[in-house]
Amino acid sequence: MIIPPPSPRPQTPPLLELVNITKRFGSFVANEKISMKLPPGSFHALIGENGAGKSTLVKCIMGFHTAEEGDIVIDGHSRQISSPHDAYQYGIGMVYQHFTLVPAMTVAENLVLSNPAVPAVINWKMEMDRLRTFMKTAPFQVDLDTPTGELAAGQKQKVEILKQLYLETKLLILDEPTSVLTPSEADEALGLIKSKVTAGELSVLLITHKFREVFGFCDEITVLRRGKFAGAGKVKDLTRDDIAAMMMGGQREARTSGKSVRERGPVALELVGLHANKDSGVEAVGGVDLAIQEGEIVGIAGVSGNGQRELVEVIAGQRPATSGEVRVHGEAYRSTRVESFNHKVFLLPEEPLRNACVPQMSVAENIAFRNFDKPPQTRGGCFISRKAIRGAAQELITRFSVKTRSTETPIGDLSGGNVQRAVLARELGPGTARVLIAANPCFGLDFAAVESIHNQITEARNRGVAVLLVSEDLDELLKLADRLLVISHGEFVYETTPAEADIKTIGQHMAGH
Amino acid sequence: MNAESIGWWGVPIGILAGAIRGGTPFLLVSLGECLTEKSGKINLGLEGVLLMGAMTAYAISYKSGSPWVGVMAAGIAGAVLGSIHAFLVSRPKVNDIAAGIAMLLFGTGFAFYLGKPFIQPSAPQLPGISLGGWSHLPQIAAALKISPLFVLGVIIAFIMRWVFRSTRWGMQVRAVGDSPAAARAMGVSVSKTRFICIVAGSAMGGIGGAHLSLFYPGAWTEAISSGQGLMAVALVIFARWNPVQCLWASLLFGGAQAVGPSLQAVGINTGYYLWNASPYVLTLLVMIITCSNKRTLAGAPGALGAGS
Ligand SMILES: Nc1ncnc2c1ncn2[C@@H]1O[C@H](COP(=O)(O)OP(=O)(O)OP(=O)(O)O)[C@@H](O)[C@H]1O
Ligand SMILES: [Mg+2]
């Protein structure tokens, strides 16, 4: 018998049990007989490599997918959750891996719309008052009147977390919430959430790839591997290596490419007095000058929303510069397809599914974007060979270990980390890059993938590629960059090298002091 | 009743009258299209809906003797056509442009087929609302005798603006149109929302047709629409998907339609046909001006034209 959800929502965290959950997509088994238990007031980590089935499992809890087999048991009763609204009624809420904000709506509209308790006719004055009161106690501040489409990834993520706090969710599922936050922002956010857990007001199920967060905040852990249960336990009884072994099934070869000492070549990428606006017309990049030599990685650190996104978009050709110029190898560069091909400029933008993919097109087609019109993919100047496209894609899929059912799967169906890998395969696969621009390239990747991408970037540098690395992960920048710039309010405010870097000073400049 | 007595004043008065009279079908159809597009789908079939509405309104008004029953029937006819379109586009891999063109041809053909017997008889017309009683000039009085459906359109425009801004349902429609994935994550049914929007939008288009046959020009002929249903699509873009701006844009298009006839009324015949082309030229200009290489248009629903 199916019991309808309780009509006043729970005031305390529920006890959630998953029993033998199986979820298939066609013949592909994404989750196979997975069980776990989340007592009230626990902080539970769910980890596993890219494509292990973590997002799929929690989407079953949210009613976004329906599991073919198994039970979702809440406070001892087997329940059917067939939509996110049902989940809301049980006090369950989730921050999704891909953003679920409506881009054309303001932050305030998004928050209000997400709240099922808001009446059919909205009294904006009252709602705004409530929102402002809520924002006073919120862990981070976001301007309520900005359309969310104009926010950088990090800010969007903050809005997503704020949304759940605003909805008074009792069981919060976080799908890689901190990938786009700086470590200090992540600590702040998780710290605040942790204090609510400790007070017994909240349970959390956290999907993450960061061991730091597992050991810093979580009590218990469940590990998935290839859709199956691979282990569980109390965090305090486990070591990093135990968990890594569960994730990878013991087989894992560690390999770190060191930076070679090499003569730097001539300047490859140059930004001269670059200005650019946000969509709203407000200036986002305010006169940026930068020269990157061949064989050099220049890192740009900053809190998201300080012009990084617009800067990368200008170089990518997605946004016009209001003044100033981008030069590559001394020539003006307007990022046309021909220019990027001739100068071998490659790009890993943030939110790759949005900025570098066509979600409905297949993995093979997406991987072929750079070269589908060149031989051997195109023969005789105009005949596209699907076979050659598939073959080339298959080779890259294997080499970059992209987990996909086939080359013909729509890329939008891939797990978050695998979308990232597919784009990487396209951009770094041919190995011909001379200039590489990477924005948060490790957003949402498991540790093995992070390591492999860091190696790829370092190797590219060692080959003489000029790399611009924009990242909100300071550790990543300190590890990879030869030179580090801090961006604040659209301008470079501080320059240092990782060797001399002082985290505190960098932090102060990032915060705009 | 001749324009000479007020001389050149006849031109602006004629254009004003034309803006309101001729703008009414634009207004109702563009509001319907605006609602449809806000939910992320396009309905090019509204031209067919317009004709179907005009024919139905005329026929039912003739049979029943009440123009208001005719207006209601036109709305229902529009909704029925709309529900076919809505059903088609809810199927996977059905392109809304192609389905819209099919519905356009179907609606037009069907209206002509059913409307044949009603070309001759004269049906009771909608009463006009006289706002020009203060003036002793018959031209002004005539110009300000407006269609009750224009008033209805104005009311709908303001209601729609309020709905999009201040009701949960209106915001859900915007969410569905802008980011279906986000709407789904909020538990909103994308297909249901789109169904309702397309059906309601088509009903408005049908009522726009009733204005054509029951007020101005006030008869059922096959040449009654001259593409207004299609121009309304351009108009919605021009109005930036804002219902109240649809009102101003409709008046502009309606006025443009009246330029030729008003000039002719004061005796200027040169370029009559050229002037008559002005709404189409305006449509083209709108398309050219609003077509920009910078991002998507501000206000454009994000899912418009996407396969999802
Ligand atoms: N809608 C879908 N249709 C078909 N296959 C899907 C769909 N969603 C996910 N999959 C497949 O299921 C598998 C598990 O995906 P899932 O998103 O759960 O991985 P994940 O553990 O969250 O990985 P990541 O860490 O990269 O986010 C992947 O191989 C993916 O391709
Ligand atoms: Mg995932």
Side-chain angles (χ1 to χ4, degrees), chain A residues 417-460:
Chain A
N418 281 301
V419 172
Q420 185 81 346
R421 286 182 198 218
V423 174
L424 258 171
R426 174 175 82 209
E427 302 295 305
L428 289 179
T432 53
R434 294 188 62 197
V435 176
L436 176 68
I437 293 109
N440 294 311
C442 296
F443 176 119
L445 294 180
D446 63 49
F447 71 92
V450 169
E451 221 159 80
S452 116
I453 287 174
H454 286 175
N455 288 343
Q456 302 268 9
I457 292 178
T458 311
E459 279 163 23

Side-chain angles (χ1 to χ4, degrees), chain A residues 25 28 30 50-56 97 176 209 405 413 415-417:
Chain A
F25 294 109
F28 175 81
N50 292 129
K54 308 177 295 292
S55 299
T56 306
Q97 192 169 7
E176 301 183 32
H209 291 296
R405 262 179 297 153
D413 284 353
S415 79

Side-chain angles (χ1 to χ4, degrees), chain A residues 270-341:
Chain A
E270 214 178 340
L271 309 179
V272 190
L274 205 64
H275 288 259
N277 289 346
K278 289 187 193 165
D279 292 342
S280 58
V282 177
E283 187 163 86
V285 180
V288 157
D289 290 286
L290 175 66
I292 307 179
Q293 292 169 286
E294 289 182 355
E296 180 187 38
I297 300 178
V298 174
I300 295 185
V303 178
S304 73
N306 274 286
Q308 300 99 311
R309 182 182 133 177
E310 287 82 3
L311 179 64
V312 172
E313 284 178 346
V314 170
I315 304 175
Q318 287 176 293
R319 180 180 294 276
T322 43
S323 70
E325 197 174 54
V326 180
R327 288 190 201 141
V328 175
H329 304 128
E331 289 171 36
Y333 177 79
R334 277 170 299 270
S335 45
T336 61
R337 194 171 160 79
V338 174
E339 283 176 337
S340 81
F341 182 78

Side-chain angles (χ1 to χ4, degrees), chain A residues 76-98:
Chain A
H77 302 283
S78 172
R79 305 286 192 172
Q80 175 149 15
I81 301 182
S82 39
S83 78
H85 189 256
D86 287 354
Y88 167 83
Q89 287 301 333
Y90 290 113
I92 305 175
M94 168 161 168
V95 173
Y96 293 86
Q97 192 169 7
H98 296 292

Side-chain angles (χ1 to χ4, degrees), chain A residues 98-168:
Chain A
H98 296 292
F99 297 116
T100 58
L101 300 171
V102 182
M105 289 189 185
T106 64
V107 173
E109 286 178 315
N110 268 287
L111 289 175
V112 167
L113 183 56
S114 67
N115 185 355
V118 167
V121 172
I122 295 157
N123 177 344
W124 271 111
K125 204 182 145 325
M126 202 179 84
E127 295 299 335
M128 288 308 285
D129 286 346
R130 270 184 53 188
L131 277 173
R132 287 202 196 92
T133 323
F134 165 74
M135 288 302 273
K136 286 207 188 94
T137 60
F140 9 67
Q141 296 302 312
V142 187
D143 177 34
L144 287 173
D145 296 318
T146 314
T148 54
E150 284 173 23
L151 299 177
Q155 292 169 300
K156 283 186 197 162
Q157 194 62 289
K158 290 181 190 171
V159 178
E160 295 276 13
I161 295 175
L162 286 178
K163 188 159 96 182
Q164 293 306 324
L165 297 178
Y166 179 66
L167 291 179
E168 298 183 343

